[in-house]
Amino acid sequence: MSTQAPETPSLFPHSSADFGDAPLLVGKHTFHSRLIVGTGKYPDFPTMRQAHIASGADCVTVALRRVDLKNPENNILNHIDLGRMTLLPNTAGCYTVEEAVQVGVMVQEMELGDLIKVEVIGDQKTLMPDPIGTVEATRKLTAMGFTCMSYCSDDIVLCKRLEEAGAAAVMPLGSPIGSGRGVLNPTNIRLIKDAASVPIIVDAGVGCASDCASAMELGVDGLLVNTAIASAKDPVKMAHAIRMATVAGRLSFQAGRMDKRLYASASTPLKDF
Amino acid sequence: MSTQAPETPSLFPHSSADFGDAPLLVGKHTFHSRLIVGTGKYPDFPTMRQAHIASGADCVTVALRRVDLKNPENNILNHIDLGRMTLLPNTAGCYTVEEAVQVGVMVQEMELGDLIKVEVIGDQKTLMPDPIGTVEATRKLTAMGFTCMSYCSDDIVLCKRLEEAGAAAVMPLGSPIGSGRGVLNPTNIRLIKDAASVPIIVDAGVGCASDCASAMELGVDGLLVNTAIASAKDPVKMAHAIRMATVAGRLSFQAGRMDKRLYASASTPLKDF
Amino acid sequence: MSTQAPETPSLFPHSSADFGDAPLLVGKHTFHSRLIVGTGKYPDFPTMRQAHIASGADCVTVALRRVDLKNPENNILNHIDLGRMTLLPNTAGCYTVEEAVQVGVMVQEMELGDLIKVEVIGDQKTLMPDPIGTVEATRKLTAMGFTCMSYCSDDIVLCKRLEEAGAAAVMPLGSPIGSGRGVLNPTNIRLIKDAASVPIIVDAGVGCASDCASAMELGVDGLLVNTAIASAKDPVKMAHAIRMATVAGRLSFQAGRMDKRLYASASTPLKDF
Amino acid sequence: MSTQAPETPSLFPHSSADFGDAPLLVGKHTFHSRLIVGTGKYPDFPTMRQAHIASGADCVTVALRRVDLKNPENNILNHIDLGRMTLLPNTAGCYTVEEAVQVGVMVQEMELGDLIKVEVIGDQKTLMPDPIGTVEATRKLTAMGFTCMSYCSDDIVLCKRLEEAGAAAVMPLGSPIGSGRGVLNPTNIRLIKDAASVPIIVDAGVGCASDCASAMELGVDGLLVNTAIASAKDPVKMAHAIRMATVAGRLSFQAGRMDKRLYASASTPLKDF
Amino acid sequence: MILTLNGEQRDDLAAATVADLLEELGLGTRPVAVMVNGEVVRRAEQAGHRLSDGDSVEVISLIGGG
Amino acid sequence: MILTLNGEQRDDLAAATVADLLEELGLGTRPVAVMVNGEVVRRAEQAGHRLSDGDSVEVISLIGGG
Amino acid sequence: MILTLNGEQRDDLAAATVADLLEELGLGTRPVAVMVNGEVVRRAEQAGHRLSDGDSVEVISLIGGG
Amino acid sequence: MILTLNGEQRDDLAAATVADLLEELGLGTRPVAVMVNGEVVRRAEQAGHRLSDGDSVEVISLIGGG
């Protein structure tokens, strides 16, 4: 079924910026791509590196965990193009505000920059974020000097509260993390975007290229995609697909789609002979 | 909202062929793009020409109607890049097999090539095709030497009957022509593709970029898109979007998407500190 | 989870007729219930009989097959309340017009009445009906004196052709037989109903009570349900559920639903103190 | 289209309790119906009263507002069957915890019982509830002795937090209040129910009978419906429809639906002659 | 005489006509239809229709279906 | 004495206390709650709570809601 | 001679044959098809096909469609 | 001296301070953070922070995540 992609296919377009679109601004950061990628779940680092290139992304999430002392040289940073990529460390796995703040302290110690993806989990089974903890963690991490990108449910008022707490970007989930089911409630995402003064980035849930195009057509500012790329059968090819679908969705939003109709409307004029 | 696209943005990728995908084969014809475009409903010919370029397509539908004798020089062929494009004349507007055959005779008289889009309408209000008439017209036009691309409903058995009647490609509709509602019944399209020995091209109904990506992810061989481009607020930008979404959907299908899950699956390993 | 239903719960309402709705008229037949049930796939005959009662139906499908000569007394008619039920023999399993006509001859020989469910299968894998064969079989069986209820895809023009061929009711499927996925394309069913002069009965595909209510809210005249009842864990309870959902959907259609809104509209007046 | 319902159609079944289902228990209250109805938006009080009867409900929401001093006798309580109905006063329109608590004080002053629907709005345009304020108001009103039924978004963790704050029932919305769009995110509602130790009642968003059946099939404990009944063209008929659909959805959930299949499965055995 | 009856070879049947066969099989009161060699034998003809060696006979009645 | 009663200026009322006011307004049998200047005046205090010029009084009861 | 040409009555045309007509209409280089009285007149016959009074002529070419 | 290092008991380490420990583990050039007994030891304090018997030490760096 699958045909082999050539070794180094051209990366045009990297992003909608190649079509004159404004870049994605998060706090003081400027990203040319509206797609942020992750570093989890890849079969191996070389595949990850190729997929990162294919994605066109210039921002990438990483997580903090114990060093593997048996393989101290096994350093993920050796496999990320730090010339192009800005790091976005996350607080994944934290269940309390205190844990998230502690991760923040460590991020500062490690001099990883000022960006942080704020994630406070509230339920072990569904891994859904805790609305109240996330607001509080966002407030504290912002006070510590971080540019917070806060991961949350698609609760419309919650997204507003995160913005008020200092989030530089709000990142509602489309569907449960790793579920790959796309944006389950497009109405909410649209209403969240309507009300927002900071960028809205859909984080979690997209599973394939069309999910990315659909999400961008809702008017959101960007996407964060990890599992859909890393767990595809061919992650590099999927990264190309998702890069282009993100651009396509953005242009489609900007181009202004045709009106929907219940009934038909001929694309060819009536027959006259 | 919309930012201006640069005058001549690069056209990479023209199609999934730029990623090593096989071309679309219809009878003896080889198309590098899996996107076929129309020529109806555009605001003007220069916009149409630019949109055609932006689409990356190398096949284009046209219709037969009375010459406008007051403007005999107003010839649509002057606005189609015949160096790149193969013409696909349609029998749009025909309500009987006889009418469709008569259009076929005229297409031969005009020496427009051997391709024909077979369309026999069965209902004036919904413009839905007549299953029985389309099968019969396909049989007759095939006997006249045409390479038939037959437009039809998403009836699974009907698509098989069209193939048996000689259709070189079968073109089920996603939703009523001009409705822009996407593929209303993805199950049927998937079952049609599963059973087919000739290319399946979704014709009619897609309204935006994500609709194209979704349709291609069903595994179909191509798309025919007219109104979604021509009736967008910015047809040229939408043509770019639809070109890239079609490629993205194809690559996404080939890359093999992640499995869907009801529940979550962390993209970051469990916290261990 | 499931609580035991009492032995003989009241059957009010049997059907929407209990709320003053017109009965379902098919040819010369008058049915008080808009729900037609099947006799296949039940765990045993006593369960079937109880489920039939719980369904409130007064029309029931049966099929023709070889007599089990080892159990010649195993007669399904002993388990159908022929005082209430009208038999609707089907031509299930026929792949040609000739086979369907032969079944019709046998139905006449067996003096089972004038009703027949016309079914000509076109694909062994999906069991989807053959559009052309079904039209032809409808024409022939009508000429033989049958009141034809023709099972077909949701192709809008095909439904019209079946009516022209003499069908007393047209029965488009909601989704593939036995798939239990509900009405996959409500737009088509609505357009079919809009255009019809004979009753439209959704046959095949409903899987649960809400599917029945949704289908009836499209305005169709009735439903034919077999697997959803027979293959439920508790068929009798499901029969009650489907009876009531069918009535509820009908009343909901007639009552005229509220308008949908993208945004909210308070159900309580604004606070004034 | 609509036929006239008889004056006093039988009310069997009032609720799923008539089929042996357990009643709905909220704190110390026992409701035989799983449907709670509202009192807003009705064309007039007699219609409301008839619709209440037709709904089979035994719990009804009311709101607190200024007395209309020009019509001091215009008392809604005269139009509610207080012999059958338990009152559920709401805090609708409150934007702060303090306002909600103040409404609670007034409910106590008016001796309306111990039930209260906790609603703290967070956004004027979408009328979406404030997650943090609702948790806090639930905590305070519970401490004041109220049995709280807390209205909220479909945020999974928030629902758990409300339970921890003392809510006797949690009432996630299906779609924005008054929008009539049904349950937009069934996945969330199902996950909320899975995790809950108190009753989950879908409040807001259902628009018609099938929406009620679908929601109940998710396994939730009850529904609160106002606009779908009050703003139907025929509210009394719609109340009957929604009563039966709620029962049908409950029984369908309990009966255990058939499995869904992508492909078909014949309901009639293969033809053998 | 050997018949193929509902797909099985049978040499144990005494019936000379279709009507005899139905009676021998004990299907008297039940609605059945009979095909011999692919053709329906109508009720009026059953008493007169003689069975021959090698005939393929189908006796059809009702079962559950949807 | 001028009161703001449910948002309207009123100078036609004779009531000296909250309890008087409710009676004067004819709301005797109906469940109502009263706020004076933003504070709820509980039932037990209504007879003793004297109204003053310029007071803002809200008399609240039930209406339809969802 | 009066023709109905693409739905309009015309008495201003001098052409005697279909080929003449196409030239008179200035459609030389463009692909067109011609029907006279509902029948297509094939290219090879156009020079020989004489027009008669009352003929209904359709001159067909390409337009935009989907 | 026995330490719990990233969850494992270790008695094979010579390091007296946090800074020593990082060097002994060969993590010199890589960004790491260190917690001792649940508190982050900031970089400036690592040379001066002496390890004691029974300390629980976590050495944290980056891994893949989403």
Side-chain angles (χ1 to χ4, degrees), chain B residues 38-40 61-67 69-70 72-77 90 102 105-106 109-110 112 117 226, chain G residues 5-8 10 25-27 30-33 35 38 40-43 58-66:
Chain B
T39 50
T61 48
V62 287
L64 277 71
R65 291 291 178 274
R66 284 173 176 170
V67 170
L69 294 169
K70 293 192 181 85
E73 291 316 308
N74 193 12
N75 181 355
I76 195 171
L77 291 183
N90 68 29
Q102 193 179 57
V105 171
M106 289 192 263
E109 277 307 290
M110 292 164 77
L112 298 174
K117 173 177 162 182
N226 186 1
Chain G
L5 179 60
N6 285 3
E8 286 185 41
R10 294 283 290 268
L25 292 171
L27 294 166
R30 186 172 172 186
V32 293
M35 286 200 294
V40 176
V41 181
R42 298 198 172 247
R43 197 173 291 242
E58 299 280 352
V59 184
I60 307 293
S61 189
L62 298 180
I63 64 152

Side-chain angles (χ1 to χ4, degrees), chain B residues 61 88-91 115-119 149 151 171 203 224, chain G residues 66:
Chain B
T61 48
L88 173 56
N90 68 29
T91 67
L115 281 176
I116 195 160
K117 173 177 162 182
V118 182
E119 186 176 334
M149 302 178 71
Y151 168 67
M171 306 212 291
D203 178 1
L224 197 165

Side-chain angles (χ1 to χ4, degrees), chain C residues 144-155:
Chain C
M144 285 167 66
F146 279 106
T147 298
C148 289
M149 302 178 70
S150 299
Y151 169 66
C152 57
S153 78
D154 63 357
D155 180 303

Side-chain angles (χ1 to χ4, degrees), chain D residues 158-242:
Chain D
L158 172 62
C159 288
K160 209 62 200 163
R161 296 288 172 268
L162 287 166
E163 191 179 320
E164 292 160 9
V170 174
M171 306 211 291
L173 54 83
S175 50
I177 178 78
S179 70
R181 301 177 63 214
V183 172
L184 293 178
N185 193 337
T187 297
N188 275 9
I189 297 296
R190 202 187 292 267
L191 293 173
I192 287 166
K193 174 61 192 166
D194 277 2
S197 311
V198 297
I200 300 299
I201 295 171
V202 170
D203 177 2
V206 309
C208 57
S210 61
D211 287 348
C212 296
S214 298
M216 291 305 293
E217 284 173 347
L218 297 172
V220 299
D221 300 280
L223 303 177
L224 196 163
V225 179
N226 187 359
T227 310
I229 297 173
S231 295
K233 313 275 172 297
D234 181 339
V236 178
K237 184 172 278 195
M238 187 57 91
H240 279 294
I242 279 177

